Amino acid sequence: MERICESCKALFSPHPKVPKQKFCSKKKCQRERRRRWQKQKRLQDKSYRENQAAAQAEWLKENPGYWQKYRKEHPAYTMRNRLLQKQRNENRGNHARIPAFVKEKIAKMDDLTIEKDIISGRYILIPYDSKRVAKMDCLVIKMEVLSSGYIGIQK
């Protein structure tokens, strides 16, 4: 009984000892099978994920400058990666549309604990997902400096 390979979509006959075989025996398809298994394993198994990260960190220690050299020797890869990263950034949503003057002044959680001169003025209130832009709860509001002797509320 033939099956369709999940990778290359070609018909293949599964090995008799592997009744649930979903990938044909081509190297490319077996590599895809392993890649999918590893991805699933990393998502589900914390110790496997940690071991993989440690192994990668060790490899990078032993091979300093590898990625810089690789990008220099493979300009097509570098250009493709930059284009794909630009698309990923755009797909993330609001962050790509933040004006430059706002990006420079992203608030941090402890920003208000630092003593600063407060200047009266109108400030833009822009709602953004805190995971994408601001750290913790950031509000930008209209502020007016009142004299120290001022009592009451202005409407």
Side-chain angles (χ1 to χ4, degrees), residues 4-71:
I4 297 174
C5 175
E6 286 192 11
S7 179
C8 70
K9 308 299 183 202
L11 286 175
F12 74 99
S13 297
H15 192 279
K17 292 184 179 181
V18 187
K20 295 180 181 180
Q21 185 176 349
K22 296 179 181 180
F23 295 86
C24 69
S25 59
K26 294 176 193 165
K27 276 189 172 186
K28 179 181 174 185
C29 298
Q30 289 300 306
R31 193 169 32 247
E32 176 64 16
R33 178 185 61 81
R34 282 191 299 274
R35 186 192 68 76
R36 289 183 190 183
W37 179 88
Q38 287 176 328
K39 181 178 180 180
Q40 194 64 31
K41 187 74 170 168
R42 279 192 302 269
L43 290 171
Q44 294 175 343
D45 188 339
K46 182 181 177 184
S47 63
Y48 180 81
R49 186 172 49 247
E50 290 170 351
N51 288 336
Q52 291 292 303
Q56 185 178 19
E58 185 65 30
W59 185 88
L60 284 172
K61 274 186 192 175
E62 295 172 9
N63 298 279
Y66 171 83
W67 285 113
Q68 292 83 353
K69 182 181 175 187
Y70 184 89
R71 285 189 292 270

Side-chain angles (χ1 to χ4, degrees), residues 111-122:
D111 198 41
L112 295 177
T113 61
I114 302 168
E115 291 185 18
K116 297 181 179 180
D117 292 329
I118 299 174
I119 302 169
S120 293
R122 295 180 184 265

Side-chain angles (χ1 to χ4, degrees), residues 92-103 105-107 124-140:
R92 285 192 182 125
N94 292 338
H95 190 271
R97 293 186 289 270
I98 300 172
F101 71 93
V102 174
K103 284 181 186 177
K105 299 181 181 190
I106 301 297
I124 302 170
L125 175 62
I126 306 172
Y128 284 109
D129 183 336
S130 64
K131 293 177 187 170
R132 293 186 181 148
V133 181
K135 294 185 178 181
M136 298 302 287
D137 298 320
C138 169
L139 298 176
V140 181

